[in-house]
Amino acid sequence: MTRLPPRTLFLSCALAALAVLAAAGVRADTEEEANGAPEAERYSWDEAREGIRFTTRVEGRRIPDYLRDLLEEARQLGADTPDGPPPPATLAQLRRRAQEDDKRLDEVLRSEGYYNGSISSSVRQAQGGDFEVVYLVILGTRTMIETFDIVYSGHDGGGEGRPASGADLGLEPGRAATAQRIIDLTQKAVTTLQNNGYPQAQLDRRRVVIDLSSSEAHVTLHISAGQRYVFGETRIGNPDGRTNPAYVRELLTFQQGETYSRAEVDETTEALRATGLFSGISVSSGDPEGGALPQEIALTEREARTIRLGASWSTAEGAGVRGSWEHRNLFGEAETITLGLSIAQIEQSATADFRKPHFLRPDQSLLASAEIAHEESDAYKEDRARAGVSLERVLTERWTGSLGVTFQLTETTDSNGRIGYQLFGIPLTLKYDSTDDVLDPGEGIRATLNGTPYFGASDEEPTTFTKLEAGGSTYLGLTDELTLALRGRYGLIAAGDTEDVPGSTRFYAGGGGSVRGYGYQMAGPLDNAGDPEGGRSVLEASVETRYRITETIGAVAFIDGGQAFTNTVPTLGDPLLWGAGLGLRYYTPIGPIRADVAVPLNRRRNVDDAFQIYVSLGQAF
C-alpha cells in the first residue's frame, strides 16, 4: 500500500469531510423546506396525502390594512368557495398553487401602483405537523402619476368643453398610479365631453408608460370627441295618453339652444319616472339639424287608477278593514286624488286627499284633505269633521317641509262630559328621510317634527293651545339578514287643561304602533273606571331586531316602552310601562305582513291582559 504524504492525506480527509457535510446540508435543506422538522422526513413533495392541513399568511413591512385585505381576497389557496379548485393532495401541489397565487397578488400590487413590488411564497411546516404558506410582500417605491395628457382626434388640444389634462379632471399632483384611478379619470374625461356638447365622445385607446427607475407613470388618452351640439327641438310622443304635453315640458331640465348634456337628459328621465305616471320612458336624440340635436321623448302611460284593500286585527282594537281608490292623473298634470274608507270596531272614517305637484314652482305641491269620522274607544266617543290645505316643498334631497291651515268641528264625550270644539290650526311639519325602502327599510333614518297652534272655541268659550311632537326611527343593517330598528317619540301640548283638547288630539300610548303588550291607548293616565283619559305629553321608545330567515319569512324580537302623561311635561318620576314580545313577518311585494305577540312587563292588576296579539300589513315602525 502506497503511503500518502501527510499534507496530501490531510487535504484528502478535509475534502471528504466537506463533501459529507455538503451532502448532509443539501438533504437537510430539502427536507426542511418540505417537512420543516426531522420527524417529518417520511413526507415527500410528490407523496399523495389525505387532507393536508395548512394555513396562509401575508407577511411584509408597512403593508396598509386595505392593501393587506386586497391581497388576502386575491389568493385562491385556502379560499373556501364552492366553485373553487379542490384542496391540494401533495406538497408539490400546495407549492404550485401558492406560486400561482403569487401572480394574482402581484397583479394586486400593480393595480395599486406598486410596480416595483414583488411577491414570493414559501411552504413551511409549523408545530404539530401542519403546514403554513407564507406570502412575502415587498412593496418597493410606489409609482405616481407624473403626466396625464389627452389627445383628441380632429381637435387641437382642449377648449370648448374639452379637458386637456388630468388637472382639468381634478387630478392632484403626486397621486398614486392605481388602476382604478386611471380608469376613473378616463371615464370622467368621456363623461365630461358628453356633458359639454359631445354626445359621440369615445375613447380610442389609452397608453400607460411606467418608468420603473423613477417610479413615474405617464398616461395618454386618445379620444374622438366628434362634433359639438346644442339641444334642438323637443318632440313628445304619448299615443293614447292623457298627460298634458305642457306638463311634460315643465319637467325638462334642459332648454332648446343650450349645450347638449347627457346628465341633463338623464335628469329629465328621472323626473318623468318620479311622477309615477309612465310605465315606459325613452329620451333619445334624433338626426342632427345643423349643430342642434332634436330630443325625442317617447312615453307609455300606466293605468291611472288603483284600488287598495287592507285589514288588521288585534286583541285590543279588534278587526278592521280599509280600502282606497286612487287616480294619479286627474286633470292631466299628475294631480292625485285618493278616496279612502275605513271600517273598524273602534273607528269608522271616510277621507279624501288631493295633491297637485309643480304648484307655482317645480319643487312645491298643493295638498288638500278632508275627513269625516266616528270613533268610540275606552277613552272617548267622538264625531268629527276636518278639512285642511297646505303647501309642501322639497327643501333638499332628504328634507321636506310643509305649512298649512286646518279647520275641525269635533264633539267629544268622555269622563268630562260632552264638549264641542270649533278649532283652526296652522300645522308646520319638517321631515327627514334617508331610508332605503318605503315599506321595509333596512338602512337610514326617518324623523318628523310637527308643530300646530290651535285657536277657536271649546263649548263656546275661547280656547287656544299648541301641540308639538317629534318622532324618529333609525335602521341599522348589521348583516344582510339582520336589521336593528330603533324608534323614539316625544310630544307635549301647551294647554291649560286636558279637557281643553279634543279627545283625538290628545296624546295616547299603547297598542300595535306604540307600546305593544298594553291595550289600545291604555299606557297612560286612567280615570276612576279604568278608562284612558289621554294626556298632554307622551314619551316612547322601541328597539326591534329583525331577522330574515328566508326570502319570504322573517322573525322579530322587540321591547317597547312609554307612557302618556297628564302634565305638559312628562313626569319622569313615574316609571315607563314596558312591553316585550316576538313576531313573524311574511314578506310580500306590497310590504311585510306582521303578526306580533307581546306581554306587559309592568302589568297592572285588573287593568292589563296577560298578552296582546297584533296582525296587520307593514312593519310596526
Side-chain angles (χ1 to χ4, degrees):
M1 182 175 65
T2 305
R3 183 182 296 272
L4 296 175
R7 179 182 179 83
T8 303
L9 180 60
F10 173 78
L11 291 174
S12 299
C13 293
L15 290 173
L18 289 174
V20 171
L21 290 174
V26 170
R27 180 179 178 185
D29 290 344
T30 304
E31 291 177 346
E32 184 71 18
E33 181 182 8
N35 305 317
E39 60 269 25
E41 292 178 0
R42 62 183 181 277
Y43 301 138
S44 68
W45 285 104
D46 298 316
E47 177 187 352
R49 303 176 57 208
E50 182 177 353
I52 295 180
R53 294 180 301 177
F54 67 91
T55 58
T56 62
R57 176 164 55 91
V58 174
E59 187 177 275
R61 298 179 58 193
R62 296 190 300 274
I63 302 176
D65 291 340
Y66 87 92
L67 181 57
R68 186 180 296 274
D69 292 340
L70 291 175
L71 293 170
E72 292 283 359
E73 293 172 2
R75 62 173 178 79
Q76 289 190 358
L77 188 60
D80 186 14
T81 57
D83 300 329
T90 67
L91 292 178
Q93 288 182 2
L94 181 63
R95 181 173 60 181
R96 184 167 59 251
R97 294 266 296 278
Q99 291 171 346
E100 292 172 355
D101 273 349
D102 288 350
K103 301 174 184 178
R104 299 184 184 93
L105 271 61
D106 185 62
E107 290 176 359
V108 172
L109 289 184
R110 294 166 66 87
S111 70
E112 291 300 311
Y114 294 98
Y115 287 90
N116 283 309
S118 64
I119 302 285
S120 61
S121 60
S122 62
V123 178
R124 308 172 185 176
Q125 188 170 24
Q127 294 293 329
D130 292 349
F131 291 89
E132 183 181 44
V133 179
V134 179
Y135 301 94
L136 179 61
V137 179
I138 299 177
L139 295 179
T141 303
R142 200 174 195 187
T143 300
M144 302 296 175
I145 298 176
E146 178 65 19
T147 60
F148 195 105
D149 300 320
I150 304 175
V151 178
Y152 293 98
S153 174
H155 297 280
D156 296 330
E160 295 186 327
R162 298 189 301 272
S165 65
D168 295 336
L169 302 173
L171 175 63
E172 300 176 358
R175 305 297 286 176
T178 64
Q180 192 60 53
R181 176 170 287 121
I182 294 173
I183 291 172
D184 290 345
L185 288 169
T186 301
Q187 183 59 48
K188 189 173 182 179
V190 175
T191 301
T192 300
L193 290 166
Q194 293 174 344
N195 291 337
N196 283 277
Y198 300 94
Q200 300 166 347
Q202 62 180 12
L203 176 69
D204 292 334
R205 62 190 176 94
R206 178 175 53 220
R207 186 167 181 261
V208 181
V209 178
I210 305 297
D211 187 340
L212 296 179
S213 62
S214 61
S215 297
E216 294 176 347
H218 302 272
V219 183
T220 304
L221 304 183
H222 295 266
I223 293 178
S224 294
Q227 183 178 343
R228 198 178 196 205
Y229 292 98
V230 298
F231 283 109
E233 178 188 3
T234 299
R235 302 158 185 160
I236 300 172
N238 184 22
D240 303 323
R242 61 176 288 139
T243 303
N244 189 342
Y247 172 69
V248 176
R249 293 184 186 278
E250 289 181 9
L251 299 175
L252 301 181
T253 60
F254 54 81
Q255 299 295 326
Q256 185 173 349
E258 293 180 347
T259 301
Y260 177 88
S261 169
R262 183 160 296 177
E264 296 293 340
V265 173
D266 293 341
E267 190 172 339
T268 293
T269 303
E270 186 57 35
L272 291 168
R273 183 176 293 112
T275 64
L277 300 179
F278 308 106
S279 60
I281 302 170
S282 173
V283 183
S284 60
S285 298
D287 295 331
E289 297 175 356
L293 274 181
Q295 299 300 297
E296 299 177 350
I297 300 179
L299 302 172
T300 303
E301 289 194 11
R302 298 172 54 195
E303 289 292 333
R305 300 168 182 84
T306 299
I307 295 177
R308 296 182 177 90
L309 296 173
S312 63
W313 177 83
S314 74
T315 51
E317 301 172 54
V321 295
R322 59 185 179 275
S324 66
W325 175 88
E326 180 182 83
H327 195 308
R328 288 180 296 276
N329 204 9
L330 190 62
F331 303 123
E333 295 189 357
E335 302 92 348
T336 301
I337 186 169
T338 304
L339 304 179
L341 182 65
S342 176
I343 300 175
Q345 290 180 228
I346 291 179
E347 181 179 358
Q348 304 84 47
S349 65
T351 59
D353 295 281
F354 175 79
R355 171 185 289 268
K356 178 175 176 54
H358 283 248
F359 182 73
L360 301 181
R361 49 185 290 168
D363 59 353
Q364 185 168 270
S365 298
L366 173 67
L367 310 180
S369 63
E371 177 197 43
I372 298 176
H374 171 77
E375 187 174 358
E376 190 166 350
S377 67
D378 291 338
Y380 57 83
K381 181 172 70 173
E382 183 173 280
D383 294 299
R384 62 179 178 269
R386 294 174 178 168
V389 62
S390 63
L391 292 177
E392 181 184 82
R393 183 175 297 180
V394 177
L395 304 176
T396 68
E397 181 182 358
R398 297 178 175 177
W399 288 94
T400 303
S402 66
L403 177 65
V405 60
T406 63
F407 177 72
Q408 68 182 63
L409 295 173
T410 305
E411 185 176 84
T412 299
T413 302
D414 58 12
S415 58
N416 298 309
R418 178 180 296 179
I419 302 177
Y421 302 89
Q422 304 84 40
L423 297 172
F424 286 94
I426 304 176
L428 173 64
T429 302
L430 190 62
K431 295 181 179 179
Y432 175 86
D433 193 340
S434 64
T435 55
D436 57 353
D437 191 286
V438 175
L439 299 175
D440 186 22
E443 292 283 353
I445 298 174
R446 286 178 182 164
T448 302
L449 178 63
N450 293 313
T452 306
Y454 290 93
F455 56 94
S458 169
D459 263 357
E460 300 181 355
E461 293 292 331
T463 184
T464 60
F465 61 90
T466 299
K467 183 176 183 178
L468 300 174
E469 184 174 2
S473 55
T474 184
Y475 308 90
L476 307 173
L478 304 181
T479 67
D480 291 340
E481 298 82 16
L482 184 63
T483 299
L484 178 65
L486 302 98
R487 178 186 70 92
R489 177 190 178 210
Y490 175 75
L492 63 87
I493 299 175
D497 203 333
T498 302
E499 65 183 39
D500 293 335
V501 183
S504 58
T505 308
R506 302 169 192 165
F507 286 119
Y508 300 90
S514 179
V515 184
R516 286 165 286 186
Y518 297 87
Y520 177 65
Q521 299 180 336
M522 291 295 291
L526 307 177
D527 61 18
N528 294 331
D531 295 327
E533 294 182 319
R536 286 180 288 165
S537 60
V538 68
L539 184 63
E540 291 180 354
S542 298
V543 178
E544 184 170 282
T545 57
R546 303 170 181 173
Y547 183 74
R548 196 148 184 165
I549 302 171
T550 68
E551 285 296 318
T552 57
I553 302 296
V556 304
F558 57 86
I559 182 168
D560 301 332
Q563 188 170 328
F565 301 87
T566 302
N567 297 328
T568 300
V569 178
T571 307
L572 298 182
D574 296 336
L576 298 181
L577 298 178
W578 293 91
L582 301 173
L584 290 175
R585 301 291 183 268
Y586 179 72
Y587 296 96
T588 72
I590 59 173
I593 298 174
R594 72 179 177 113
D596 292 338
V597 179
V599 297
L601 301 182
N602 306 98
R603 186 179 178 187
R604 296 164 293 184
R605 180 176 297 182
N606 300 326
V607 174
D608 301 315
D609 293 329
F611 63 90
Q612 298 283 347
I613 300 175
Y614 311 93
V615 179
S616 66
L617 179 64
Q619 297 283 11
F621 58 91

Short mmCIF file of all heavy atoms in Angstrom, two decimals, residues 25 57 97 113 121-122 257 283 311 324 337 357 369 408 474 538 596:
data_model
loop_
_atom_site.label_atom_id
_atom_site.label_comp_id
_atom_site.label_asym_id
_atom_site.label_seq_id
_atom_site.Cartn_x
_atom_site.Cartn_y
_atom_site.Cartn_z
N GLY A 25 -26.06 18.79 4.26
CA GLY A 25 -26.72 20.09 4.25
C GLY A 25 -27.77 20.18 3.18
O GLY A 25 -28.86 20.70 3.40
N ARG A 57 -50.67 33.08 5.16
CA ARG A 57 -50.36 34.33 5.86
C ARG A 57 -49.63 35.26 4.91
O ARG A 57 -48.75 34.84 4.16
CB ARG A 57 -49.49 34.02 7.08
CG ARG A 57 -49.02 35.25 7.85
CD ARG A 57 -48.52 34.85 9.23
NE ARG A 57 -47.49 33.83 9.17
CZ ARG A 57 -46.17 34.09 9.10
NH1 ARG A 57 -45.75 35.34 9.06
NH2 ARG A 57 -45.30 33.10 9.07
N ARG A 97 -49.69 25.68 -6.23
CA ARG A 97 -50.85 26.57 -6.07
C ARG A 97 -50.44 27.89 -5.41
O ARG A 97 -50.98 28.94 -5.74
CB ARG A 97 -51.92 25.86 -5.22
CG ARG A 97 -52.52 24.61 -5.90
CD ARG A 97 -53.79 24.95 -6.62
NE ARG A 97 -54.79 25.40 -5.69
CZ ARG A 97 -55.57 24.59 -4.97
NH1 ARG A 97 -55.44 23.26 -5.10
NH2 ARG A 97 -56.48 25.07 -4.16
N GLY A 113 -50.45 50.49 -7.80
CA GLY A 113 -49.33 51.37 -8.09
C GLY A 113 -47.98 50.90 -7.59
O GLY A 113 -46.99 51.62 -7.70
N SER A 121 -43.62 33.22 -2.40
CA SER A 121 -44.29 32.34 -1.44
C SER A 121 -43.37 31.21 -1.03
O SER A 121 -42.47 30.80 -1.78
CB SER A 121 -45.58 31.79 -2.05
OG SER A 121 -45.30 31.04 -3.21
N SER A 122 -43.59 30.69 0.15
CA SER A 122 -42.84 29.54 0.64
C SER A 122 -43.77 28.66 1.47
O SER A 122 -44.73 29.14 2.04
CB SER A 122 -41.65 30.01 1.51
OG SER A 122 -42.11 30.72 2.65
N GLY A 257 -81.40 75.14 -27.45
CA GLY A 257 -80.30 76.09 -27.63
C GLY A 257 -79.19 75.96 -26.61
O GLY A 257 -78.09 76.49 -26.82
N VAL A 283 -85.84 58.79 -23.75
CA VAL A 283 -85.39 60.10 -24.21
C VAL A 283 -84.17 59.88 -25.09
O VAL A 283 -83.14 59.39 -24.61
CB VAL A 283 -85.04 61.04 -23.04
CG1 VAL A 283 -84.66 62.42 -23.56
CG2 VAL A 283 -86.21 61.15 -22.07
N ALA A 311 -106.36 44.98 5.82
CA ALA A 311 -107.06 44.51 7.00
C ALA A 311 -106.09 44.47 8.17
O ALA A 311 -104.87 44.35 7.99
CB ALA A 311 -107.66 43.12 6.77
N SER A 324 -109.11 51.96 -0.50
CA SER A 324 -108.95 53.27 -1.11
C SER A 324 -109.00 53.15 -2.64
O SER A 324 -108.71 52.08 -3.20
CB SER A 324 -107.61 53.91 -0.68
OG SER A 324 -106.52 53.17 -1.19
N ILE A 337 -105.81 62.15 -6.58
CA ILE A 337 -106.87 62.17 -5.58
C ILE A 337 -107.03 60.76 -5.05
O ILE A 337 -107.02 59.79 -5.81
CB ILE A 337 -108.20 62.70 -6.16
CG1 ILE A 337 -109.22 62.83 -5.02
CG2 ILE A 337 -108.72 61.83 -7.30
CD1 ILE A 337 -110.48 63.58 -5.41
N PRO A 357 -98.82 68.41 -7.87
CA PRO A 357 -97.39 68.73 -7.89
C PRO A 357 -97.11 69.93 -8.79
O PRO A 357 -97.97 70.38 -9.57
CB PRO A 357 -96.77 67.45 -8.45
CG PRO A 357 -97.84 66.85 -9.29
CD PRO A 357 -99.14 67.21 -8.63
N SER A 369 -107.07 68.07 2.09
CA SER A 369 -107.58 66.84 2.70
C SER A 369 -108.88 67.13 3.41
O SER A 369 -109.17 68.27 3.81
CB SER A 369 -106.56 66.26 3.68
OG SER A 369 -106.32 67.16 4.75
N GLN A 408 -111.60 72.20 12.09
CA GLN A 408 -112.28 70.99 12.52
C GLN A 408 -113.44 71.31 13.44
O GLN A 408 -113.40 72.25 14.23
CB GLN A 408 -111.31 70.04 13.22
CG GLN A 408 -110.78 70.51 14.56
CD GLN A 408 -109.78 69.54 15.17
OE1 GLN A 408 -108.72 69.31 14.60
NE2 GLN A 408 -110.12 68.98 16.32
N THR A 474 -84.51 54.85 13.30
CA THR A 474 -83.29 54.58 12.56
C THR A 474 -83.14 53.09 12.36
O THR A 474 -83.62 52.29 13.19
CB THR A 474 -82.05 55.15 13.29
OG1 THR A 474 -80.88 54.95 12.48
CG2 THR A 474 -81.83 54.47 14.63
N VAL A 538 -96.27 62.88 26.03
CA VAL A 538 -96.04 61.46 25.76
C VAL A 538 -94.56 61.23 25.55
O VAL A 538 -93.83 62.10 25.06
CB VAL A 538 -96.85 60.99 24.53
CG1 VAL A 538 -96.31 61.61 23.25
CG2 VAL A 538 -96.86 59.46 24.43
N ASP A 596 -97.54 39.94 15.70
CA ASP A 596 -96.75 40.13 16.91
C ASP A 596 -97.53 39.65 18.13
O ASP A 596 -98.75 39.82 18.21
CB ASP A 596 -96.39 41.61 17.11
CG ASP A 596 -95.43 42.13 16.06
OD1 ASP A 596 -94.73 41.31 15.45
OD2 ASP A 596 -95.41 43.35 15.85
#
